[in-house]
């Protein structure tokens, strides 16, 4: 998952971990952050934009183009 942060944000994580995103950050987040209710709430408020990233196109079956 890739995110774009419109503000300075600190995501609290398990075991006291923290993931910092500065305003304008574009990049991945830790796996634990993907499941975070806080990150989802930030996205709902428009403070971050979440993308699922590019998916590889499927290969056509043998003999098809």
């Amino acid at each position: 998952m890739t995110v774009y942060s419109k503000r300075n944000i600190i995501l609290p994580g398990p075991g006291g971990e923290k993931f910092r995103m500065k305003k304008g950050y574009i990049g991945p987040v830790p796996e634990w952050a993907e499941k975070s209710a806080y990150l989802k709430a930030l996205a709902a408020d428009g403070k971050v934009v979440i993308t699922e990233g590019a998916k590889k196109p499927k290969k056509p079956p043998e003999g098809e183009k």
Side-chain angles (χ1 to χ4, degrees):
M1 168 185 297
T2 302
V3 299
Y4 166 65
S5 179
K6 296 180 180 181
R7 298 187 179 188
N8 293 325
I9 296 170
I10 299 173
L11 294 175
E17 289 183 70
K18 294 180 183 177
F19 183 74
R20 299 175 194 279
M21 296 184 290
K22 291 190 175 192
K23 182 178 179 181
Y25 171 78
I26 299 175
V29 295
E31 191 172 320
W32 57 261
E34 293 179 12
K35 301 169 188 151
S36 166
Y38 182 50
L39 181 62
K40 292 174 185 173
L42 290 168
D45 287 344
K47 295 175 182 163
V48 298
V49 177
I50 298 174
T51 62
E52 293 301 320
K55 294 184 179 179
K56 294 181 181 179
K58 292 182 180 178
K59 291 183 181 179
E62 291 290 322
E64 292 185 31
K65 292 185 179 184

